[in-house]
Amino acid sequence: MSKTVKLTDWIFEIFSLQILWIIHIFKGFIVLGIFPSIAAVFAVIRHWLLKREVESLPHIFKQYYKENFKTANILGWFFSSITLIVIVNFIYTAYYPEQIQIIIYAAVIFMAIILLIVWAYLFPAIVHYKLSVYELFLVVLKAGFSSLKGIIFQLVSAVIIFVIILKLPGLLLIFGIIPFAFTQTIISIKVFHELN
C-alpha cells in the first residue's frame, strides 16, 4: 500500500472519529453525551497507539462510550462545576474586602493548578484504568505532580494546536478535539507507564 493511500486512510479514520464524537454527544442529549463521547475518543486513540487488534471504528467507539458513560459523566460534570466556581471566584475577588483578596487569590491560583492537572490527565486516566471515581482522582493527581515535564509538554502542544487552529479554523471542523486528545494520550501513556 502506498504512503499516499495510507495517509488518506488515516485522515479518513480521524475524520470518522470526529463524526462519531459529534453523533454520540447528541445521542446523550448533549448534557449526558459530551463527557462519555470525549472519553470514547481518548479510548479509541489509546487503542490505536497501543496497536491493538483492528476493529470496526463505530463498534469500538460505541463500546468505549458505554463502558465509560457513568464515570465520565460523574467526573466530567463534577470538575466542570469546580472549574466554574473557581472562574466565578476569580472574577468577583476584586469586589471582596482588600484584607481577604490576597487569601482568595492564593486559594483560586492553588485550585487552578489542581484543575489544570486534573483536566490534563482526567480522560486518559478514565480510559487507562478501571478504578473507582475516588481512586481515579488520586491517580490523576499523582500523575500530575510526579511529572511536571508531562504537564509542560501538554500545555505547549495544546498552545501549538490552538494557534494552528486559529490560523486555519477549517481544521477544527475536520479534526475537532482529535489533535488535543492524541497529544494528551501519547504523553499520558508514558506518564502512567512510569507510575506503574
Side-chain angles (χ1 to χ4, degrees):
M1 189 183 290
S2 71
K3 289 181 180 179
T4 306
V5 173
K6 283 183 179 179
L7 178 62
T8 305
D9 287 346
W10 185 237
I11 291 171
F12 179 75
E13 285 288 288
I14 293 172
F15 180 67
S16 299
L17 183 57
Q18 163 79 349
I19 297 299
L20 285 167
W21 173 60
I22 294 168
I23 289 170
H24 282 76
I25 288 173
F26 287 101
K27 190 175 179 181
F29 301 103
I30 301 176
V31 174
L32 292 176
I34 181 77
F35 294 117
S37 294
I38 293 171
V41 167
F42 276 85
V44 169
I45 290 169
R46 181 176 178 273
H47 187 100
W48 287 343
L49 291 171
L50 295 178
K51 295 182 170 63
R52 294 199 170 158
E53 186 180 340
V54 177
E55 297 179 47
S56 160
L57 179 56
H59 172 74
I60 60 169
F61 190 96
K62 187 177 180 180
Q63 177 188 324
Y64 288 132
Y65 180 86
K66 286 182 177 179
E67 275 180 20
N68 299 298
F69 188 87
K70 184 179 177 181
T71 305
N73 267 317
I74 291 170
L75 289 172
W77 285 112
F78 175 75
F79 287 114
S80 292
S81 301
I82 300 297
T83 302
L84 182 62
I85 290 167
V86 169
I87 290 168
V88 169
N89 272 282
F90 178 77
I91 292 168
Y92 285 98
T93 298
Y95 299 101
Y96 290 122
E98 286 185 19
Q99 299 89 329
I100 62 168
Q101 278 186 17
I102 294 173
I103 297 169
I104 296 173
Y105 274 127
V108 165
I109 290 167
F110 174 76
M111 284 302 299
I113 291 168
I114 298 294
L115 286 168
L116 176 66
I117 291 168
V118 166
W119 288 118
Y121 289 106
L122 181 62
F123 291 104
I126 288 171
V127 302
H128 189 85
Y129 298 100
K130 298 302 174 192
L131 300 171
S132 68
V133 168
Y134 176 69
E135 288 171 324
L136 274 171
F137 178 61
L138 293 181
V139 166
V140 165
L141 289 183
K142 189 177 177 183
F145 284 111
S146 67
S147 180
L148 179 62
K149 185 170 65 175
I151 292 289
I152 291 169
F153 280 151
Q154 287 203 45
L155 281 173
V156 170
S157 61
V159 168
I160 291 169
I161 293 166
F162 185 71
V163 169
I164 291 170
I165 287 171
L166 281 179
K167 298 287 184 184
L168 302 165
L171 293 177
L172 188 63
L173 295 173
I174 300 171
F175 300 119
I177 66 162
I178 313 299
F180 295 101
F182 252 109
T183 54
Q184 273 187 270
T185 305
I186 290 167
I187 294 164
S188 298
I189 287 173
K190 188 175 186 307
V191 172
F192 294 153
H193 179 71
E194 289 170 359
L195 282 181
N196 297 334

